[in-house]
Amino acid sequence: MNKEGHVVNGLLLGVGLGFVLEPGGDAGTLYAVVAVTVPVVLGALLPDVDTAFGVHRKTLHNLPVLGLFVAFPVVFDNLHFVWVGVLTHYVLDVVGSKRGIALFYPLRREYGLPTGVATSSRYANAVTLAVTAAELAVAYALVRVAPGVVASAFRALPAGIAP
């Protein structure tokens, strides 16, 4: 996907996740939307920094980099939702783009699904919206339908780290 698609994905996910986490529609919801949207959008844009150095869709589009961003809030107690943006960037590139990404870089093989379209395709925005809707459905299911799964995952984190 292109940068516009990643921004749209990050913005919609941030707003959607804010409502999933705080569905009241009050000041708490607004706070959650802002607290989640800013780092998710930053994380959604971060992997494309490799266009300025390295090899695009390889250098910063892989599982070791994602692991660093998942571990960051555990170690430093900040940037709690940036990893969500990085992860959704990868999902959008794997599911929505023809090319895929090199998940196991420095191994150069790229992984993608046949659902992808070219970034210049007239269907790129529709695919971005469909992938975003699917990501929000998964988040809703994890937080609202099966909260025990998420709660048990966060119990494993040190005190004060869980979002």
Side-chain angles (χ1 to χ4, degrees), residues 70-77 80 151-163:
V70 169
F72 199 92
V74 174
V75 175
F76 297 104
D77 195 24
H80 293 285
S152 64
F154 283 120
R155 274 195 294 270
L157 296 175
I161 299 297

Side-chain angles (χ1 to χ4, degrees), residues 46-141:
L46 184 106
D48 282 342
V49 170
D50 68 6
T51 58
F53 70 91
V55 182
H56 184 53
R57 296 226 179 151
K58 290 180 178 47
T59 307
L60 295 178
H61 287 71
N62 57 69
L63 295 178
V65 169
L66 178 60
L68 289 173
F69 282 97
V70 169
F72 199 92
V74 174
V75 175
F76 297 104
D77 195 24
N78 64 14
L79 297 175
H80 293 285
F81 294 99
V82 170
W83 70 270
V84 174
V86 173
L87 175 63
T88 60
H89 183 111
Y90 293 0
V91 170
L92 194 56
D93 280 353
V94 168
V95 177
S97 174
K98 273 182 151 180
R99 182 172 163 198
I101 62 174
L103 285 172
F104 302 103
Y105 187 77
L107 301 175
R108 296 208 173 261
R109 180 166 184 237
E110 293 183 353
Y111 295 87
L113 294 176
T115 54
V117 297
T119 57
S120 61
S121 168
R122 64 184 175 137
Y123 301 110
N125 289 337
V127 169
T128 297
L129 293 176
V131 169
T132 303
E135 291 169 336
L136 281 171
V138 168
Y140 180 83

